[in-house]
Amino acid sequence: MSSILTNSSAMVALQTLKGINSNLAQTQSEISTGKSVSSAKDNSAIWAISKVMESDVAGFETLSTNLATGQSMVSVARTATESITDDLKSIKEKVVAAQDPSADTEKLQAEVDELVSMISSKISGAQFNGINLINSGASDQTIVGSLDRDSTTGAVSANTITVTAQNLGMSSVAATGTVDVGSTDANAATVGADGKSVGAVIDKNTQQDIKFAGLAEGDTVELTLGSQKFTYKVTEADTLGTSSTEDIVVGKLADMINSAGIDGVTAIYDQANAGELLIDNADLAGSGATLEDLQMSVTLRGDGSGDLAGLDGFQVTDAAALTTIEDMINVAVDAAAAFGAVESRLESQASFVSELSDALTSGIGSLVDADMEEASARLQALQTQQQLGIQALSIANQQPQSILSLFK
């Protein structure tokens, strides 16, 4: 049956041509954009996944910048600390040289003073963008090392790397309490708010009294006897209970001194007088020890005093100078090692983030990028199909005209 009102062949040809044109438009879009999924309407699920991954890649690019900045910050602190360590070694050499009876201690002291001044400059100058990791009052810094996405909820959390500050400052924070050394002795003095040391000489077969008052949590007591140093920091537990804080500290110091076994020296916790410690330079145990005059110093430091505070007023002729400088060298070495370890970790993390970013970018490409070889071949096939479709539609549209011959 032929009809001039309904041309089924033309409708089929038209629908086929529309499908070909739609596929051709999609292929041309892939070729022009380079993506097989360029919008949510192309494939909503793949598009959503790719956008989440793209946001992660953008975050990792920022992380790489933050890690690079963190590396530079730590590198400055490490370099300065290593240099300070070398300076402290030079000071140790001067101290050792000063032990020679024929040494010119004035010149050695002048050289040490210059080294101390240089160390102070390095401490204050070791900053990156205003952040100093080695000065007094330096605070820990937190660097975001990665972004972790929960596989179940999709929630994102920051994984951080903490850079621990190393307090190599030379300042002495004021202690809360005070201490009297030999209140009846000619060398009597009181440690003031500046935390300076107070010294005395305990002659052989004599006794020296040390009285503490007003100690509080965070205060550090440094007591030097000859070449040995005893340090105790007041804790919160020391401030609690029925005994006074001073009595607890005196008891701790007495135990440390007596355990050290210094010939002829006995530390006595005077229970009759609160907060008083007696240092007896006499052979109380009858061991036959050869007694000598004993140089003593006592220092109070407040919480937060720099680890190199001992350089403030450092004297090469002090009896405990060698012990003091050796302690500071160890502190500086430990600080440099700590900075080196965290710098290495930051470098490793930066490399990981870079590789992870590349992997995610490659994954995104496999999801949404167009296969250009396939698209090119498909374009040529569709163009051929389009031409054939147009031809078929033209033939179908001519079919009703053949009916006219029936009426001639």
Side-chain angles (χ1 to χ4, degrees):
M1 173 183 170
S2 299
S3 172
I4 61 172
L5 299 177
T6 303
N7 190 338
S8 299
S9 298
M11 288 188 291
V12 171
L14 180 60
Q15 291 300 324
T16 301
L17 184 59
K18 285 181 177 180
I20 293 171
N21 287 339
S22 176
N23 290 335
L24 185 60
Q26 174 65 29
T27 302
Q28 289 175 332
S29 174
E30 290 182 15
I31 294 173
S32 62
T33 62
K35 293 184 176 182
S36 60
V37 180
S38 59
S39 64
K41 71 180 182 65
D42 295 331
N43 188 320
S44 59
I46 295 298
W47 181 85
I49 293 172
S50 68
K51 289 304 174 183
V52 171
M53 294 174 68
E54 285 176 4
S55 71
D56 287 346
V57 169
F60 285 134
E61 290 176 352
T62 303
L63 281 180
S64 295
T65 302
N66 291 346
L67 287 169
T69 302
Q71 280 182 259
S72 299
M73 176 183 66
V74 176
S75 179
V76 168
R78 176 187 55 78
T79 301
T81 305
E82 290 174 351
S83 180
I84 290 170
T85 301
D86 292 337
D87 294 335
L88 290 172
K89 290 179 181 177
S90 297
I91 293 177
K92 180 180 177 180
E93 293 174 4
K94 310 303 179 188
V95 173
V96 173
Q99 307 303 309
D100 187 342
S102 63
D104 189 339
T105 56
E106 291 186 3
K107 290 182 179 179
L108 290 172
Q109 184 63 50
E111 292 179 15
V112 167
D113 291 343
E114 290 299 322
L115 287 169
V116 170
S117 178
M118 185 162 55
I119 291 174
S120 178
S121 297
K122 291 178 180 179
I123 293 172
S124 60
Q127 54 180 291
F128 179 84
N129 196 27
I131 298 176
N132 193 319
L133 292 172
I134 65 174
N135 207 351
S136 295
S139 57
D140 297 348
Q141 300 296 319
T142 301
I143 301 172
V144 179
S146 66
L147 297 176
D148 300 337
R149 186 178 295 279
D150 188 276
S151 59
T152 303
T153 64
V156 177
S157 59
N159 192 324
T160 61
I161 298 174
T162 300
V163 180
T164 303
Q166 306 292 328
N167 185 1
L168 300 183
M170 293 170 54
S171 63
S172 299
V173 178
T176 304
T178 60
V179 54
D180 291 333
V181 175
S183 57
T184 59
D185 190 90
N187 294 315
T190 301
V191 172
D194 59 357
K196 297 290 185 181
S197 296
V198 174
V201 176
I202 310 177
D203 297 331
K204 58 184 177 182
N205 295 315
T206 60
Q207 187 181 77
Q208 188 72 274
D209 65 301
I210 307 170
K211 185 173 178 61
F212 297 95
L215 296 180
E217 178 184 357
D219 288 347
T220 298
V221 179
E222 294 180 358
L223 193 156
T224 301
L225 295 173
S227 61
Q228 297 200 44
K229 178 184 288 186
F230 306 93
T231 303
Y232 185 77
K233 186 172 183 177
V234 182
T235 66
E236 181 183 7
D238 297 332
T239 64
L240 306 175
T242 56
S243 300
S244 71
T245 301
E246 291 75 22
D247 284 344
I248 293 174
V249 171
V250 166
K252 299 283 186 181
L253 289 173
D255 290 341
M256 286 190 285
I257 294 169
N258 291 329
S259 297
I262 305 174
D263 282 350
V265 174
T266 304
I268 304 170
Y269 167 31
D270 188 356
Q271 298 183 3
N273 298 295
E276 188 162 296
L277 179 66
L278 303 178
I279 306 296
D280 206 314
N281 186 20
D283 188 11
L284 299 181
S287 62
T290 302
L291 302 178
E292 297 179 355
D293 294 345
L294 187 66
Q295 180 72 40
M296 181 186 73
S297 67
V298 184
T299 302
L300 282 186
R301 303 191 193 283
D303 192 14
S305 294
D307 290 333
L308 301 186
L311 288 176
D312 187 12
F314 183 84
Q315 298 293 316
V316 295
T317 55
D318 283 351
L322 189 58
T323 301
T324 300
I325 199 65
E326 186 67 28
D327 290 343
M328 287 189 282
I329 289 174
N330 291 334
V331 168
V333 168
D334 290 344
F339 285 134
V342 75
E343 185 180 357
S344 178
R345 180 183 176 187
L346 289 172
E347 183 178 353
S348 177
Q349 185 67 20
S351 177
F352 167 72
V353 168
S354 177
E355 293 173 359
L356 183 58
S357 179
D358 290 344
L360 285 174
T361 300
S362 178
I364 294 171
S366 66
L367 289 174
V368 302
D369 288 355
D371 186 334
M372 299 306 289
E373 292 87 354
E374 179 186 347
S376 176
R378 190 165 64 249
L379 177 64
Q380 293 183 18
L382 288 171
Q383 286 175 334
T384 301
Q385 290 178 27
Q386 185 186 48
Q387 293 175 4
L388 292 173
I390 292 172
Q391 191 69 26
L393 180 59
S394 177
I395 293 171
N397 285 336
Q398 292 176 4
Q399 184 177 350
Q401 294 180 2
S402 63
I403 299 177
L404 291 174
S405 61
L406 299 175
F407 296 96
K408 290 181 180 180

